[in-house]
Amino acid sequence: MELMSQVLALEPSVQVLSKEPIVPIAILLVVILVVPILFERLRLPGLVGLLLAGLVLGSNGFDVLSKDSVLVNLLSDIGLVYLMFVAGLQVDIQQFCRVKNRSFGFGFFTFIVPLLVGTAIGRIFNFDWNAAILIGSLLASHTLVAYPMIARLGVVNNEAVAVTIGATILTDIGALVILAISLVVHKSEQFSYNALVGLISSLIVYSIVVLVGFDWVGKEFFRRSGDEEGNQFLFVLLSVFVTSVGAQIIGIDKIFGAFLAGLAVNETVGEGPAKDKVLFVGNVFFIPIFFVNLGLLMDLPSLATTFKTLLLTVLIVVGLITSKFIAAFLAKVTYRYTWQEVFAMWSLSIPQVGTTLAAGLVGYQAKLLNIQTLNSIIILMLVTSILGPLITSRAAVGLTSPPCKEHQAIAPPYQKPEERDNQYTIIVPVYNPQTQQHLIEMAGLLARQTNGRIIPLAIATAFAHMDSPQLEASVERSQRLLAKATALSKVLGVEAQPLMRIDDAFAQGISRASREQKASLIVMGWGKRTGLKARLFGNVIDNVLWSSHCPVAVTRLVDSPSKIQRILVPLENLTSPSLQSVQFAQILAEANQAQVTLLNVCERRTSSNKIAWRRSQLSLTVSKLGTPNPPEIQIIAHENTAQAILQAARLFDLVVLPFIRNRTSPDRLAISDVTTQLANQLTCSIVMLGEPQRIQTAVVPAGVPTTTAAMSEGIV
């Protein structure tokens, strides 16, 4: 009886909680936080977990979340708009302009062939012409899921790869235009050619207004707002929703306006903190909810029990894969690409994520497509987003890229041409007395070897009143740190010019002082801020990397740098960050009479010919450095890159890694982050060398959402 009374007492509380909007929010946050991490540990994309979570929590599972929930649908709509905005924001306009003629050619092939195949499949299953053409357009676009992979392999500048990247903008725009026309045709009881001409005219005028107007307004606003990231972030959000509303006003779907907004502010936002914050908000909250909502909409029982629906799914998947291969083959015939380049183009154009899912959901919401077709599109996304990168990992290996200008003649370490006559200058921000000695020793070794100087830098936090006691205390502490750094420099026999700066923030103070002093390198200690606040607002290292004009060496030293005798540099490609890592290691090795070893990890199935080719390429590259004691080259065949590096690192005192930011980027599937794994497990000293943001290659030009900080941005 007592147990029964307790249960009855709980019933009102359960009823109250079921009506509270905060309950589904709490459930969604738990799903977004936990599920992707679990699936990534199983080496599956996090978005697969989000979809399955929606399926399990929906009406086909435990019925915890309702697909008719106003709150969930609102957040999902924002995620949908955000997804398309990010797709436009991440388009590489410069890459497209570089190979625009062939991008137009391949873009036409990879759009029209899947369009025709998809339309034929739709007609076979008795869809009307309007719905069938929409199905074809869903197959026509593609998402560059494997971009991080080809970036790490250093083949982004290969013409075939660049053409595929450039074609993305054409296929996305084409798919969205067909979606807009299909929706208008579906809603119009009596459609006429005049209405079609009017719609197309409205699209053209609206696109010009958004692309030109928002680009101009954005540049003016960013110029006048200076470094105020909050205002810049709000402006970007405002542009997304204003263009989305404007698109609906002229009678087209909001996702078309969001995509245009991304293209419009693409150049204005650039690669900076404002863009990072915009991506963070979408990737950790809104876009994952969109994927969970897709899971709520899925109806797997109908897919499993209806042969017709199952056949539709199979034909859509096979039709997509076949038609994309035909398009790549047509590009081979037209532009005389090699078979390896053809397979790379094919694999890069297979994944269907951002535009395909967004357009498919909009078509379903407009009742132009049925739930069976939406199920097929979701399964198409799951299959292609896994299959595409898998093929790319094999097809892209061995592709060649034309040498970049900075690789044709390697300049003296870290210095730009206009600064070669200046003294080699190393900025050393000092803040933590416990790590200060090793930082000064590292900088001293580098400066002594390059006949340079070091500038110990202390930042005193600014206050509104320059005579405030807090500022006085901060200045006194900075002066004590600088006095200690100067004494250490004298012991090392290196010229030191201590510098104290009063600034509002550490990162900005470091970057500004480094630019004023024409620094060649910044040497920083490894901070401990890795939590939510660091991810949202960035830590000092992140912000210095965003704004610095020179390379940044982030160090975690377990012993004195003067004791370093064996240095390991893991490499995969011959891009600029990798070369700078070798140069850095060579300078330190010459200062200590140490030995540098370059490590390249390849798959176990790699043939001896490919291994020999890799060795020759690495030897050719390091020979350009002109060092008296060239580094050793070691190539290991191993199925786990991180484990191979960890095993090799046991014999070394220092590992030098190219530092690539761990973005929460919406355009990558969550694979394993080799850099993070190495940083967490290496027991020896580590230097992670980061290039200035302006010369890092780097963002995927289309949207693939994920929710974890550990992305596919490893060095190998």
Side-chain angles (χ1 to χ4, degrees), residues 77-145:
D77 284 345
I78 296 175
L80 174 64
V81 170
Y82 228 105
L83 178 66
M84 293 312 301
F85 167 71
V86 167
L89 185 64
Q90 300 278 36
V91 168
D92 195 334
I93 302 294
Q94 293 181 349
Q95 186 82 298
F96 172 75
C97 293
R98 187 170 67 86
V99 289
K100 57 180 179 297
N101 292 334
R102 295 196 172 191
S103 290
F104 273 110
F106 178 65
F108 175 78
F109 293 145
T110 198
F111 182 84
I112 197 66
V113 176
L115 176 65
L116 295 175
V117 171
T119 302
I121 293 173
R123 292 298 294 164
I124 291 173
F125 284 84
N126 298 320
F127 287 92
D128 60 35
W129 279 103
N130 191 30
I133 292 174
L134 178 58
I135 292 174
S137 71
L138 297 179
L139 307 188
S141 64
H142 64 266
T143 304
L144 294 171
V145 172

Side-chain angles (χ1 to χ4, degrees), residues 54-64:
L55 185 65
V56 171
L57 296 175
S59 58
N60 294 315
F62 296 106
D63 201 16
V64 176

Side-chain angles (χ1 to χ4, degrees), residues 429-439 477 481 484 525-528:
V430 292
Y431 180 79
N432 186 349
Q434 296 179 351
T435 61
Q436 179 177 343
Q437 180 172 346
H438 286 170
L439 286 178
R477 182 181 186 278
L481 290 171
K484 181 179 178 181
W526 194 322
K528 297 296 183 183

Side-chain angles (χ1 to χ4, degrees), residues 528-547:
K528 297 296 183 183
R529 282 184 55 198
T530 56
L532 179 63
K533 186 176 180 181
R535 291 179 61 192
L536 181 57
F537 298 105
N539 55 30
V540 173
I541 293 173
D542 287 335
N543 291 325
V544 171
L545 282 168
W546 276 124
S547 54

Side-chain angles (χ1 to χ4, degrees), residues 86-93 95 142-148 150 156 164-166 168-169 172 259 263 266 275 355 665 667-668 698-704:
V86 167
L89 185 64
Q90 300 278 36
V91 168
D92 195 334
I93 302 294
Q95 186 82 298
H142 64 266
T143 304
L144 294 171
V145 172
Y147 186 91
I150 61 175
V156 174
T164 308
I165 295 172
T168 307
I169 185 173
D172 283 351
F259 182 78
L263 291 177
N266 188 310
K275 179 177 180 179
T355 304
S665 175
D667 26 42
R668 311 179 187 190
V699 259
V700 184
V704 179

